Amino acid sequence: MIANQVSLLEHRVTTGRFDPTFTLGRSTMAELVRLATHAPSAFHLQNWCFKAVHSSERKVMLTKLAHGQRQVSDAAVTYIVCGELNAHTTLRERLQPSVEASIITPEVQNQWVEMAIASHRDNPRAQHVEAVRSASLAAMSVMFAAREMGLDCGVLGGFDPTGVHAAFGLKPDEIPVMLVTVGRAAPGNWPQKIRRPIDDVLSWK
């Protein structure tokens, strides 16, 4: 398992050119999100949501909001990965299945809820940071899931968040953090670019 995960990372590329004729079924698009929800989140907030943009009309709309980046219109699906604010208000309900499965105790549930409320309720910055962090982990998990299925993917941070929020009917507490494109690569993509040496990024303390 460890060797397989290393292989996925070592061979991962950001796909910028997709085959526009390739499509995915809804069940596959849903399965990618189901797998992505195994990402970690603080207090088990699960403060993310995904908008699967796959119709031709919606892909054209999102492409315009992503500054004309063609991969959005050519990919089989582009996920708008969002972080959720105010997730502490629903944490008790989100933890309840784990209590019922005897994974955590009601006492732990109460403790986590109290801690999340204390740190997030009157702290918009903490909510925002946590939302972006969780959505970023979820986005990477979508990409891992896609690669495990033999699909190609890319990630985009260049888009109009205000425009995306309005055009795709996001709720007030939903922040569009990044776009993840999934499909089948077309010819002409770059191989993985060279990474910085390990000595530049790792220090021993």
Side-chain angles (χ1 to χ4, degrees):
M1 179 59 72
I2 292 177
N4 181 54
Q5 295 302 314
V6 170
S7 178
L8 285 176
L9 282 171
E10 287 183 336
H11 295 91
R12 187 203 64 78
V13 298
T14 298
T15 300
R17 297 174 182 268
F18 288 93
D19 176 357
T21 67
F22 181 75
T23 60
L24 290 171
R26 283 191 176 222
S27 61
T28 301
M29 290 187 277
E31 178 65 3
L32 286 168
V33 171
R34 187 192 71 80
L35 292 168
T37 62
H38 286 76
S41 59
F43 303 115
H44 201 49
L45 285 166
Q46 305 173 79
N47 49 334
W48 45 54
C49 61
F50 307 80
K51 317 299 180 183
V53 181
H54 65 99
S55 71
S56 297
E57 178 184 354
R58 289 289 184 150
K59 287 198 287 186
V60 168
M61 181 187 301
L62 185 56
T63 299
K64 291 178 181 178
L65 292 167
H67 313 303
Q69 297 181 81
R70 183 67 180 270
Q71 57 265 49
V72 174
S73 58
D74 287 349
V77 60
T78 296
Y79 295 99
I80 305 171
V81 185
C82 303
E84 295 179 342
L85 304 174
N86 292 308
H88 61 280
T89 62
T90 57
L91 179 56
R92 184 172 300 279
E93 292 77 12
R94 294 181 182 187
L95 288 172
Q96 188 59 32
S98 295
V99 173
E100 294 172 358
S102 299
I103 296 171
I104 63 173
T105 65
E107 291 74 23
V108 169
Q109 179 188 35
N110 290 333
Q111 182 183 34
W112 287 5
V113 169
E114 290 171 3
M115 291 172 65
I117 290 173
S119 59
H120 290 165
R121 180 170 55 189
D122 299 318
N123 194 336
R125 175 171 172 75
Q127 290 183 36
H128 188 275
V129 168
E130 204 63 64
V132 171
R133 179 161 39 220
S134 292
S136 299
L137 289 166
M140 191 69 201
S141 296
V142 169
M143 291 190 282
F144 262 99
R147 291 303 302 139
E148 287 181 341
M149 289 187 183
L151 298 168
D152 301 296
C153 53
V155 60
L156 294 85
F159 61 92
D160 175 3
T162 302
V164 167
H165 199 285
F168 290 88
L170 273 60
K171 298 176 183 177
D173 287 346
E174 295 174 349
I175 305 170
V177 174
M178 62 184 67
L179 309 180
V180 176
T181 49
V182 180
R184 183 170 64 193
N189 284 286
W190 291 323
Q192 189 180 86
K193 295 178 285 297
I194 304 303
R195 263 45 187 180
R196 294 167 61 190
I198 187 66
D199 289 342
D200 283 3
V201 298
L202 174 65
S203 60
W204 303 96
K205 305 296 184 183

